Amino acid sequence: MPAGPAIATCVKKDSDAAKIGRNDQSRSRRRRRAAGVPRERILVLLAEDPTLDARNPRRGQVFLHANGDQSEKDDVALDGGADGAFEEFADADYVGDEVTPELVRVVLSGRHDPRTPRSKRLESTDTSNVFVYLTGHGGDEFLKFHDADELSANEVADALAEMRAKRRYGRLVLMVDTCQAGSLFNYLDAKTTPRVLGIASAKVGENAYAGSSDADAGVAYADRFTEAAVEWLERAEPDATWGDFADALDRAPTRSTLTIHDGAWATADWRTMPLRAFFGAPDGHRLSAWPPPRVAGAR
């Protein structure tokens, strides 16, 4: 399917998220819904709709796995909730040509036109956990939109710095699945973008790769990194941490090098942070206390 970017933003009380992708976008949204994030707290910006792509032999459907189970439960065009029930696919909040680098900056920074409804805004605060997932065609310090516009690494850093200045996140995880994905972290630092963790599918100078092609569609349904991430999350234990996630992706056969940027994190060890607690699952507070309590006398 075409690799047009998309961005989804998910907000749950003290937890938010954002993402850019194609079928990868739908997979990530399904995973966040299963983790307990309600649909009304997810924004989706989708430059191209894979369900309507001319090369899709099953119009209106997109499946998690190439050449695999292509039943209702595997169809990411249906919105699977935390209770296992399926709802009709919720349309993207922003679609097509309106999805631009400037729109991404607007959504993250909150610089909307006053007429923009609340349902299309990221309403996060300084107590929010924010997850940003970007995927599509990329290169050294850029993510491409519509094969024309680009979101640069400088613009990513500026947008996150503006979010921090406006108290729009408490902790933020930025995950990128593109070629040379790690280059988008080049301008993040502990002073202007503190408490930001970067996770990238490929290091600078390295490609990221598509997964297996589907026999009917003739193209891959997802990139290797995204596929590995979703499959691991589907099997993860309730108390799994970001460290467990990173270790699993480091071992996954993605043909590229996992890159972690934690120089801007500058808080308690990110590896111990429970995933479900980060995403705001109802039972997250029972899984683990995070950050871990300070030891008397420790610095």
Side-chain angles (χ1 to χ4, degrees):
M1 305 297 173
I7 182 169
T9 313
C10 133
V11 183
K12 181 177 177 68
K13 197 171 183 178
D14 293 333
S15 183
D16 313 286
K19 162 178 195 273
I20 291 201
R22 42 182 186 205
N23 183 28
D24 292 345
Q25 179 270 343
S26 299
R27 295 167 68 108
S28 178
R29 175 178 56 83
R30 168 73 69 83
R31 188 59 229 161
R32 289 196 307 274
R33 292 281 285 114
V37 181
R39 174 59 183 93
E40 64 270 18
R41 301 210 177 190
I42 299 175
L43 291 178
V44 179
L45 284 70
L46 188 62
E48 298 171 358
D49 187 351
T51 67
L52 302 179
D53 187 271
R55 291 173 292 176
N56 186 353
R58 297 178 177 84
R59 192 172 179 83
Q61 296 177 300
V62 179
F63 296 98
L64 282 171
H65 304 100
N67 306 308
D69 176 20
Q70 297 185 345
S71 61
E72 181 181 84
K73 68 179 182 179
D74 202 56
D75 183 2
V76 295
L78 293 174
D79 195 16
D83 58 358
F86 290 94
E87 305 167 6
E88 288 298 321
F89 175 69
D91 289 342
D93 299 280
Y94 299 93
V95 296
D97 290 342
E98 67 177 333
V99 179
T100 64
E102 175 60 22
L103 179 62
V104 173
R105 295 192 295 269
V106 166
V107 169
L108 293 177
S109 66
R111 293 183 280 107
H112 291 280
D113 183 290
R115 296 168 294 182
T116 303
R118 291 184 61 186
S119 62
K120 301 182 74 170
R121 298 171 183 251
L122 170 60
E123 296 191 313
S124 54
T125 71
D126 60 354
T127 62
S128 297
N129 293 334
V130 178
F131 176 73
V132 181
Y133 188 27
L134 311 175
T135 184
H137 286 311
D140 191 4
E141 296 192 0
F142 71 86
L143 174 69
K144 190 176 285 279
F145 286 65
H146 304 291
D147 293 326
D149 297 331
E150 295 178 355
L151 179 69
S152 72
N154 267 313
E155 290 170 324
V156 170
D158 288 346
L160 298 186
E162 184 173 352
M163 287 185 74
R164 182 61 178 174
K166 292 180 175 179
R167 304 171 70 87
R168 288 177 58 80
Y169 74 83
R171 296 188 294 260
L172 187 147
V173 175
L174 172 60
M175 187 178 298
V176 185
D177 186 3
T178 70
C179 294
Q180 304 197 61
S183 65
L184 284 183
F185 307 149
N186 283 356
Y187 304 103
L188 303 179
D189 62 68
K191 181 177 180 181
T192 60
T193 55
R195 298 189 178 186
V196 172
L197 174 68
I199 303 176
S201 62
K203 65 182 180 180
V204 177
E206 186 177 65
N207 290 333
Y209 295 93
S212 300
S213 292
D214 182 76
D216 293 328
V219 295
Y221 280 158
D223 293 326
R224 287 177 176 269
F225 178 83
T226 295
E227 193 167 51
V230 172
E231 290 180 355
W232 183 85
L233 288 168
E234 288 174 340
R235 302 189 303 268
E237 296 295 328
D239 59 351
T241 67
W242 282 104
D244 297 329
F245 181 65
D247 291 343
L249 289 178
D250 193 38
R251 296 190 299 267
T254 62
R255 299 185 182 174
S256 54
T257 306
L258 177 72
T259 299
I260 302 293
H261 178 87
D262 57 6
W265 187 251
T267 62
D269 184 6
W270 61 269
R271 295 183 58 86
T272 67
M273 181 169 53
L275 285 161
R276 288 181 63 83
F278 180 87
F279 284 115
D283 60 349
H285 67 283
R286 292 188 282 104
L287 299 176
S288 177
W290 199 93
R294 293 179 63 87
V295 177
R299 293 189 177 183

